[in-house]
Amino acid sequence: MGTAVDSVNKEANGSLSDEKKVKVVFVLGGPGSGKGTQCANIVEHFGFTHLSAGDLLRAEIKSGSENGTMIQNMIKEGKIVPSEVTIKLLQRAMQDSGNNKFLIDGFPRNEENRAAFENVTKISPEFVLFFDCPEEEMERRLLNRNQGREDDNIDTIRKRFKVFVESSIPVVEYYESKGKVKKIDAGKPREEVFEVVKSIFSAIDKAD
């Protein structure tokens, strides 16, 4: 019986970097920082394809594929899904999209993800869009939102903040050392935040 990595490998062969120039922007920010809202705006205004690593894993599980069952079992057992599995799902979604501009949301979650992504895809991100938001504001937003998500209680929220700081901030710092981080003050109202986001993406369009 093959591993989860093997079964995704069968479906995602070929390197995207061999084709037309692929642009990848990593989108990072704590829970409640407004990433999802702003990604939707960027897709609408700038023609990027929005890929969420978490959504792709959930979709794979829902599909009932052999690979999805393996992912589900790993999560149930409290194991971390290997970076390569998530990366192959991202690669497949990128190839299927027909686009060459991607927002990758909530990934890389840690340094190991980051190194594996660059190693497997041979793609280095254009930059990291980092939604920097005070914890008190993120907490307020998560407690106020009415999606009825069971993970939106105060203890779980604070655990998620802690994981984000410990795992994802080193990724931000790595790219900051390369001059590749665009930091956004995400504590402001969403319209103001998008004005800043828009100026960043308009500058890329002009550079092309």
Side-chain angles (χ1 to χ4, degrees):
M1 193 171 166
T3 64
V5 176
D6 291 336
S7 57
V8 188
N9 270 340
K10 284 179 204 159
E11 300 168 44
N13 291 322
S15 168
L16 283 151
S17 55
D18 296 339
E19 297 158 25
K20 57 189 174 176
K21 172 77 172 98
V22 172
K23 279 188 179 170
V24 166
V25 173
F26 288 145
V27 183
L28 295 175
S33 60
K35 294 194 317 299
T37 302
Q38 298 303 334
C39 282
N41 286 336
I42 296 163
V43 167
E44 188 185 336
H45 287 81
F46 297 100
F48 276 70
T49 294
H50 177 211
L51 299 175
S52 156
D55 287 351
L56 288 172
L57 287 167
R58 283 187 284 274
E60 190 69 16
I61 291 168
K62 206 171 172 185
S63 75
S65 70
E66 185 188 344
N67 188 48
T69 306
M70 283 180 191
I71 293 168
Q72 188 171 30
N73 290 339
M74 292 182 90
I75 292 169
K76 267 188 195 158
E77 289 165 25
K79 292 179 183 167
I80 292 169
V81 177
S83 295
E84 280 182 56
V85 172
T86 308
I87 291 161
K88 291 294 180 186
L89 290 174
L90 285 165
Q91 269 188 308
R92 191 172 72 196
M94 289 161 85
Q95 286 165 338
D96 291 349
S97 73
N99 199 353
N100 69 325
K101 300 194 295 187
F102 303 96
L103 298 172
I104 298 187
D105 177 5
F107 186 92
R109 292 173 76 95
N110 54 39
E111 268 291 282
E112 195 262 333
N113 279 174
R114 178 200 65 72
F117 182 87
E118 294 197 15
N119 189 34
V120 172
T121 65
K122 305 292 184 270
I123 295 168
S124 179
E126 300 291 306
F127 59 87
V128 173
L129 192 62
F130 175 44
F131 288 94
D132 190 20
C133 191
E135 278 194 18
E136 309 78 62
E137 176 60 19
M138 291 193 282
E139 199 172 284
R140 187 187 67 75
R141 290 176 185 177
L142 290 171
L143 291 170
N144 284 346
R145 73 180 180 189
N146 54 4
Q147 294 176 334
R149 279 178 55 165
E150 60 197 36
D151 55 353
D152 286 351
N153 68 64
I154 197 79
D155 289 340
T156 312
I157 285 168
R158 286 182 180 159
K159 275 183 198 148
R160 287 165 70 203
F161 288 157
K162 188 168 182 284
V163 168
F164 175 74
V165 170
E166 287 172 0
S167 302
S168 300
I169 293 298
V171 176
V172 175
E173 288 169 346
Y174 171 84
Y175 284 117
E176 213 153 27
S177 74
K178 307 265 180 200
K180 282 192 165 190
V181 172
K182 312 274 187 194
K183 192 184 278 193
I184 307 275
D185 177 356
K188 293 182 174 172
R190 63 180 67 176
E191 296 77 14
E192 286 181 42
V193 173
F194 186 56
E195 284 307 311
V196 180
V197 169
K198 207 154 58 173
S199 66
I200 290 168
F201 281 84
S202 298
I204 304 175
D205 273 1
K206 283 181 190 138
D208 284 349

